[in-house]
Every structure is written in C-alpha cells, then in structure tokens.
Amino acid sequence: MEIAFKILLIIFSLALITVVLLQKGKSAGLSGAISGGAEHLFGKTKARGMDLFLQRMTIGIAAGFFITALIVAYLVKV
C-alpha cells in the first residue's frame, strides 16, 4: 500500500511540474511585477480557454499532491 501511494505521489509531482511549465507567464519580468501585478491580483484580468483549464488543473493536481503527501507521511510514520 505504501509503495502504491509513493508511486502516485511521483505521478502527481511530475504532472504538477508539467502543468505549471505549460502555463504562460503572467507578467513581463520586473516591470510587469511592479506595474501590472496589482491588476492580476485583484482579478481584472480573467483567464479564458486553455489558461483557465490549466489553472483549474493545477489546483486539482496540487490538492491531490498534498493529500497524497500527507497519506505517505502517515504511512511511513506508522
């Protein structure tokens, strides 16, 4: 059982890395972080299409990763 969860954790981690790398950058370097960062923070720019799909997939995979990591940590401790 422990080995299965460890394999699942590796799959989640590789999927999370892939999905994050597929996303576009939200700002253009330091100038975008200073001037345009507030617009994205307060939701004036909305994600559409593939960006929205990748954003939701990132949230789902990250949740699965953290839950699986907690389960593996519990199984290793016990």
Side-chain angles (χ1 to χ4, degrees):
M1 188 72 152
E2 182 181 339
I3 295 173
F5 276 112
K6 285 183 180 180
I7 292 172
L8 189 62
L9 186 63
I10 292 171
I11 291 170
F12 271 123
S13 64
L14 292 175
L16 188 61
I17 291 168
T18 304
V19 171
V20 168
L21 288 176
L22 285 175
Q23 292 180 5
K24 292 181 188 177
K26 301 293 182 191
S27 62
L30 186 59
S31 64
I34 294 171
S35 63
E39 290 181 5
H40 179 69
L41 180 64
F42 296 114
K44 291 185 180 177
T45 57
K46 297 197 181 231
R48 297 183 191 264
M50 189 59 129
D51 290 334
L52 180 63
F53 175 72
L54 288 173
Q55 181 181 6
R56 289 182 178 165
M57 184 180 281
T58 302
I59 293 169
I61 292 173
F65 175 79
F66 285 119
I67 291 170
T68 308
L70 290 173
I71 292 171
V72 168
Y74 176 76
L75 289 176
V76 169
K77 186 177 180 181
V78 172

